[in-house]
Amino acid sequence: MKQVSVLKFGGSSVGTIEKIKDISIYLKRRVENKEKLIVVVSAMGKTTDDLLKQVEKITDNPDVRELDTLLAIGEQNTISLMAISLNDMGVRARSLTGIQAGIRTFGQHTKSRIADIDADFLNDQLDEFDILVVAGFQGYNENLEITTLGRGGSDTSAVALAAAIGAPCEIYTDVTGVFGTDPRIYKAARQLSQVSYEEMLELSALGAGVLETRCVEIAKNYNVPLYLGKTLSDTKGTWIMANTDLLEKKVVTGVALDRDILHVTLACSDIGTNFVEELFNQLDRFSVNIDMISQIVSGDDMNVSFTCKDTDRNFLNQILDSLNDKFSGIKYSVRTDCAKVSIVGSGMRDVSGVAARAFRILCSNGINFYQVTTSEISISYAIDKDLSEKAVILLCKEFNI
Amino acid sequence: MKQVSVLKFGGSSVGTIEKIKDISIYLKRRVENKEKLIVVVSAMGKTTDDLLKQVEKITDNPDVRELDTLLAIGEQNTISLMAISLNDMGVRARSLTGIQAGIRTFGQHTKSRIADIDADFLNDQLDEFDILVVAGFQGYNENLEITTLGRGGSDTSAVALAAAIGAPCEIYTDVTGVFGTDPRIYKAARQLSQVSYEEMLELSALGAGVLETRCVEIAKNYNVPLYLGKTLSDTKGTWIMANTDLLEKKVVTGVALDRDILHVTLACSDIGTNFVEELFNQLDRFSVNIDMISQIVSGDDMNVSFTCKDTDRNFLNQILDSLNDKFSGIKYSVRTDCAKVSIVGSGMRDVSGVAARAFRILCSNGINFYQVTTSEISISYAIDKDLSEKAVILLCKEFNI
């Protein structure tokens, strides 16, 4: 039985016909090396932007079903060209759109989620062909309508296909791998050769931004070994895998920075009300994701602090106005000059004193924090945005990132 | 029950976003007038050419399955934009790709033929929506592969859809309708308001070239009233319909000219051989379509004349060489400076003397012909290419085209 792998190439990796041909040569070598491949591709370069420009000339508010049908042609363009290129080189390859690959989705157009994938069909196709070139980002729903998966959709397609057929997934992009922190902030940052799903999730969610959270979550849930590397580069990338499979567990793997947050503090003097319940109902109603939640009750007074994305600012203001109307005696403050710095590492579970070391290094350098939250494998600090880069550098040095 | 019509707009009619919006406004008016519409569209302007240019950078000989997958995105682009435009104007519209519309095909990729269409599904969709925007030129085969229909494919899609649901079909293009002859040759030529399927077939096949033969054939077989007119023009076009439904039957409806023919004459002096059988076998083997066949036997000598398309010249030469090897005593001549002029009219059946009038007008003007063939509704003459336009003008004047 041949080794099957899923490979994914992003839009800039397939941005020109030349690049598609170069990738085809690379794929042919792997097939000659007795591999079977599912290759997931995005739309070429700026294709999606060009399609959206067509729409802008018609309306600001397009029908989302039709928008999905439109955007899906970007990937269909890439799969057919890549399959033409591979067949021209004598590789037995076949292209598959989302419908053809059996990627069934549910949920709303433009942000659908994958329900299931027909693994039997794909395995049959892999008997007949050496490479299946699958359109990323797209699927279909129960009405045979074309759907798209939203942000990070092609990565999600790739990981879901890998999960369906039980193969590892290699994601090729412009970066060489996952770094312990953003090298633009801390130049000495080293690339990680391995990182656990959990650590990657914290790093993604905390703004490291190489892979979308949902794609790492699927990999974690189905135990798909995930590789992140640079397209057609000899430089080794990063493997993302189960914690138990890591060869070496670091105490602190990375330091993440999220600059686009708001820090909100609410104080309510009448604890007898259903104030907190109403707050969470409202946040849910507007789909505002909150993070770093702390609640402190002191006598009849209650304080709630949380952070949320800066992009939700308008929703947040509506929620606060609404709460103000319903409840008396509420005070609130919203900090916009705020950032979140997090230290992440699976090893924290077993090693004490990480929090103390981090506290000490921040305090001794005059960096105050408004809030601290901890998870099993991370500690996050809400601090002044002005000081956030300095904090990242200090923490990276302290923990040898 | 509302009137249902199928409308088809060609590539230049939907070549820009502005044109798509203008057609949407027109379609909205028709919906407000209590109509339900199936609108078939081609790829926008030069889209198909652009896609083929991508392929040229990879190979001269692309895998045809993948070529179909590539080319199909042209129409998918148009349907989604038109559906976005219609929905934006408040029209209940939905786009359907070939697969979604249930246009099942058979035969080879890049020149598939329609096997059947799911009329029940379309009727259900028409209950829910006022306009279905269907991708022309494309369908799918039994393996759920995307197929395309080759030349005149979008017209064929439209007529087949009309046949499936029992509706008339309106085809909108750059021309205002069907003329009795090419107005570039005979400026006084008048547009026909009505023409029979049979006449249209003769005019198409004989090079009048407005509609592909296959599309008129489907219309004839399923008795689909076919309208040919100019996009968004108030000028009345031409209805193509059953002979029995014509209000007024003309003796001669049109004069057609085909300049791209070869005229071949073969003489064989040994009639005992299976020479003619072998000739037709060879023509069949190379898929050379022949026309204007005459065979004359005189004693032991036999003469066969026929015409074929100029584009088949290479195949023809191979066939003639092969016959020369197999049979002795064959003489052949191939005229390349030849054209075919035909007069077409349903009324010929009932009116005698048409052939005589045509012979007389040609002879008295010094135009000799190498061959004449007749069908029930047409007479064709093979003549010198140099004199062909003169012949067309003379015949048009004679028969008041």
Side-chain angles (χ1 to χ4, degrees), chain A residues 17-18 20-21 44 51 54-55 57-63 65-74 76-88 93-97 99-100 121 125 143-146, chain B residues 17-18 20-21 44 51 53-55 57-63 65-74 76-88 93-97 99-100 125 143-146:
Chain A
I17 303 286
E18 278 313 312
I20 288 175
K21 286 203 272 191
M44 291 168 70
L51 293 170
Q54 292 183 333
V55 174
K57 289 183 190 164
I58 300 174
T59 175
D60 296 331
N61 187 25
D63 183 279
R65 178 199 186 270
E66 302 302 338
L67 190 62
D68 275 356
T69 302
L70 180 71
L71 294 182
I73 73 180
Q76 190 168 328
N77 194 350
T78 320
I79 57 170
S80 48
L81 290 177
M82 174 122 2
I84 284 171
S85 175
L86 287 166
N87 277 288
D88 193 53
R94 162 158 292 190
S95 76
L96 297 171
T97 63
I99 289 177
Q100 290 171 330
F121 168 77
Q125 291 281 294
N143 299 321
L144 204 69
E145 293 171 312
I146 297 169
Chain B
I17 303 287
E18 278 312 311
I20 288 175
K21 287 202 270 190
M44 290 169 72
L51 293 171
K53 274 181 203 147
Q54 292 183 333
V55 174
K57 289 184 191 164
I58 300 175
T59 175
D60 295 332
N61 187 25
D63 182 278
R65 177 200 187 271
E66 301 303 338
L67 190 61
D68 275 356
T69 302
L70 180 71
L71 293 181
I73 72 179
Q76 190 168 327
N77 194 349
T78 320
I79 58 170
S80 47
L81 290 177
M82 183 153 306
I84 285 171
S85 175
L86 287 165
N87 276 289
D88 193 52
R94 161 159 293 191
S95 75
L96 297 171
T97 64
I99 290 177
Q100 289 171 330
Q125 292 279 296
N143 299 321
L144 206 68
E145 292 172 312
I146 297 169

Side-chain angles (χ1 to χ4, degrees), chain A residues 242-383:
Chain A
N243 192 47
T244 48
D245 295 336
L246 292 182
L247 290 176
E248 183 196 348
K249 291 179 187 63
K250 288 181 167 180
V251 176
V252 175
T253 311
V255 175
L257 170 61
D258 187 353
R259 269 178 277 226
D260 299 319
I261 65 161
L262 299 175
H263 185 259
V264 185
T265 305
L266 289 125
C268 179
S269 55
D270 183 3
I271 194 170
T273 62
N274 55 350
F275 165 70
V276 173
E277 186 188 345
E278 180 63 18
L279 168 64
F280 283 93
N281 283 346
Q282 292 272 350
L283 289 165
D284 190 47
R285 192 179 136 216
F286 287 96
S287 297
V288 173
N289 281 318
I290 59 170
D291 187 21
M292 291 192 73
I293 311 157
S294 306
Q295 189 179 345
I296 297 168
V297 179
S298 157
D300 276 349
D301 293 340
M302 185 176 59
N303 277 278
V304 179
S305 289
F306 59 85
T307 60
C308 69
K309 284 191 185 303
D310 198 15
T311 47
D312 285 329
R313 196 187 289 207
N314 284 335
F315 292 140
L316 183 72
N317 286 333
Q318 289 180 55
I319 292 167
L320 294 175
D321 286 348
S322 154
L323 288 172
N324 223 6
D325 289 345
K326 282 199 182 165
F327 299 95
S328 57
I330 291 179
K331 288 175 193 156
Y332 59 79
S333 68
V334 178
R335 279 182 188 272
T336 58
D337 53 349
C338 202
K340 183 172 66 169
V341 174
S342 307
I343 55 180
V344 179
S346 306
M348 277 189 209
R349 274 188 254 250
D350 313 316
V351 177
S352 59
V354 174
R357 276 170 71 191
F359 274 77
R360 197 164 49 234
I361 198 78
L362 293 179
C363 290
S364 67
N365 284 278
I367 300 172
N368 296 318
F369 37 89
Y370 315 122
Q371 196 181 348
V372 184
T373 53
T374 60
S375 80
E376 256 201 288
I377 62 162
S378 72
I379 308 170
S380 296
Y381 303 85
I383 63 174

